[in-house]
Amino acid sequence: MKELELKYGLNPNQKPSKIYMADGGDLPITVLNGRPGYINFMDAFNSWQLVSELKASTGLPAAASFKHVSPAGAAVARPLTDIDRKIYFVAEDAEVSPTASAYIRARGADRLCSYGDWAALSDVCDAATAAYLKGEVSDGIIAPGYTDEALAILKTKKKGNYNVIQIDPNYVPKAQERREIFGVVFEQGHSFLTIDEAMLSNIVTENKTLPDSAKTDLILSLITLKYTQSNSVCYVKDGQTIGVGAGQQSRIHCTRLAGDKANNWWMRQHPKVLGLQFVDGIRRPNRDNTIDVYTSNEYEDILADGVWQESFKVKPEPFTEAEKKEWVSKLSGVACGSDAFFPFGDNVERAFKSGVQYIAEPGGSIRDDNVIAACNSHGITMCFTGMRLFHH
């Protein structure tokens, strides 16, 4: 297929719309089901690059959950713990393949932002992954292949209209890429930058400790940032993103946003949250939103008399600020990546509050000494990668 006509572009008024190869060649994708739109393809191509590069760098199956051309979450395959199954709502008897675990964890990073996501898999989509995805609100998926059983399951989503794209895993884009903005053509070299352990060799802090698990997490953070709208900061723990701050004009706001999301992810593992008794039949989006509000400072919105009964069988006790602070203080071993240098030490101070012990950033600020000093004061290990990762 050389050209695919789309319903419309970014918005319904932007017609006509299509995707095609500039050289007249065949598109590297096949639409197996549904009718993907302009934004769907933007998410699909960005998310595919992320998961394929993550698989190449770690050797592990990878998955991503994209919304509005940035990842809500990304992860590599890891066995799910009992806590994972509870906070990601995976049945005790549900089969979880390596690929399924990667997607479950990617979507679980920020379930609120993953509502209506675009899913990406580095490996063939199997029945276990499709079965989990079937129960989630999602717009589509891209993968290098699908088992017959998985495809049959996915074709039942959205009344048979779920978007399923298969991509040629051997496709390599041309060295030069172009796009138009306001009628002006922009051209640049495609970013074939390889992100691997070699990029973490320049450790600039007093603490030089960098275990293999932290290296994997930093690689995950950097590859995620490579496909996140800048400015961006990413927190990672145990092979999954737990907080992505995207598209902020200020670096510290990225760091705060990502840190707040990491705290929210951690709060969902508090015994109070795990013990919530929801009413029978509550919809997944309503449950996820209720948990988000319950752990926030706006908990009164769902715990008011006459309101809490809509979500809970038993009215839960709200968190005190002391309880929240005490629980968040237990979060540790977090890795943090930044797509450009930290201009001030305040970014390090904020990251430390969310359990960050490892940082990777390009370096090159006139205040690098201040940033390094902030890391040293907390025993944080920091690598200068020497490479900016802006994405727009």
Side-chain angles (χ1 to χ4, degrees):
M1 180 172 57
K2 298 183 183 300
E3 182 179 300
L4 181 62
E5 184 178 350
L6 307 178
K7 189 175 181 180
Y8 51 77
L10 287 173
N11 299 290
N13 66 296
Q14 293 176 273
K15 301 177 182 179
S17 176
K18 61 183 177 181
I19 61 170
Y20 59 95
M21 305 300 287
D23 62 4
D26 290 330
L27 288 164
I29 52 95
T30 302
V31 178
L32 302 180
N33 198 66
R35 189 183 180 187
Y38 193 101
I39 297 176
N40 291 149
F41 277 111
M42 293 178 72
D43 281 339
F45 293 140
N46 278 288
S47 61
W48 166 250
Q49 291 178 86
L50 191 161
V51 298
S52 59
E53 290 183 26
L54 191 52
K55 171 68 179 289
S57 289
T58 66
L60 298 170
S65 174
F66 257 63
K67 279 288 293 291
H68 296 293
V69 207
S70 280
V76 293
R78 294 277 174 84
L80 298 185
T81 65
D82 291 341
I83 294 294
D84 289 337
R85 284 181 177 264
K86 288 181 180 180
I87 64 175
Y88 304 142
F89 305 103
V90 181
E92 292 183 5
D93 59 348
E95 178 188 356
V96 178
S97 64
T99 301
S101 75
Y103 178 69
I104 290 168
R105 299 170 79 238
R107 187 178 181 102
D110 188 344
R111 289 186 57 85
L112 211 62
C113 286
S114 284
Y115 178 85
D117 73 338
W118 186 274
L121 307 177
S122 65
D123 291 43
V124 171
C125 180
D126 55 19
T129 308
Y132 183 81
L133 191 53
K134 180 182 178 181
E136 301 290 357
V137 178
S138 173
D139 275 358
I141 182 173
I142 187 169
Y146 301 82
T147 65
D148 291 341
E149 187 178 0
L151 187 57
I153 293 171
L154 294 174
K155 284 185 175 181
T156 66
K157 279 183 67 65
K158 299 185 74 171
K159 299 180 179 179
N161 295 315
Y162 188 64
N163 295 311
V164 180
I165 297 175
Q166 182 169 325
I167 187 165
D168 176 3
N170 297 315
Y171 168 70
V172 177
K174 292 185 178 299
Q176 291 297 112
E177 58 187 22
R178 302 177 183 86
R179 65 172 170 172
E180 285 190 25
I181 300 178
F182 197 52
V184 178
V185 177
F186 288 63
E187 180 174 326
Q188 65 176 354
H190 181 80
S191 180
F192 288 107
L193 174 69
T194 297
I195 296 175
D196 54 23
E197 288 189 13
M199 193 173 280
L200 307 175
S201 59
N202 183 20
I203 299 178
V204 297
T205 47
E206 294 172 355
N207 190 345
K208 308 293 183 184
T209 304
L210 192 61
D212 289 342
S213 59
K215 291 178 182 178
T216 298
D217 287 350
L218 288 175
I219 289 170
L220 171 53
S221 74
L222 295 174
I223 292 177
T224 299
L225 292 169
K226 188 179 177 184
Y227 298 101
T228 301
Q229 297 298 301
S230 300
N231 288 325
S232 57
V233 169
C234 178
Y235 291 50
V236 175
K237 182 175 173 61
D238 296 334
Q240 73 172 105
T241 64
I242 60 173
V244 180
Q248 303 302 302
Q249 291 79 10
S250 166
R251 180 71 39 188
I252 186 59
H253 286 129
C254 295
T255 307
R256 290 171 183 164
L257 177 58
D260 289 347
K261 289 186 176 185
N263 290 354
N264 289 342
W265 171 83
W266 183 241
M267 286 300 301
R268 297 208 305 270
Q269 302 180 50
H270 192 284
K272 273 190 174 182
V273 178
L274 295 176
L276 291 174
Q277 299 181 49
F278 292 101
V279 296
D280 295 334
I282 188 171
R283 296 178 64 246
R284 290 191 183 199
N286 292 344
R287 177 198 60 203
D288 293 340
N289 184 65
T290 297
I291 292 173
D292 188 72
V293 176
Y294 173 64
T295 58
S296 75
N297 292 329
E298 299 176 349
Y299 61 88
E300 293 179 346
D301 290 351
I302 59 166
L303 295 185
D305 289 339
V307 177
W308 67 264
Q309 293 91 338
E310 298 174 7
S311 302
F312 304 109
K313 294 179 179 178
V314 177
K315 183 179 180 179
E317 288 295 321
F319 281 103
T320 65
E321 287 303 312
E323 283 179 313
K324 288 183 181 180
K325 186 174 181 179
E326 192 268 340
W327 183 255
V328 170
S329 71
K330 296 180 180 180
L331 179 58
S332 63
V334 178
C336 174
S338 177
D339 67 352
F341 60 68
F342 282 155
F344 300 99
D346 57 353
N347 291 275
V348 173
E349 298 295 339
R350 175 60 190 87
F352 179 72
K353 291 178 180 178
S354 292
V356 168
Q357 291 179 248
Y358 312 98
I359 294 176
E361 56 121 313
S365 167
I366 60 173
R367 299 180 184 83
D368 276 348
D369 55 347
N370 174 260
V371 176
I372 293 171
C375 287
N376 289 337
S377 70
H378 295 298
I380 293 173
T381 301
M382 184 165 66
C383 310
F384 278 177
T385 67
M387 189 61 64
R388 196 175 73 181
L389 297 170
F390 280 174
H391 179 69
H392 292 284

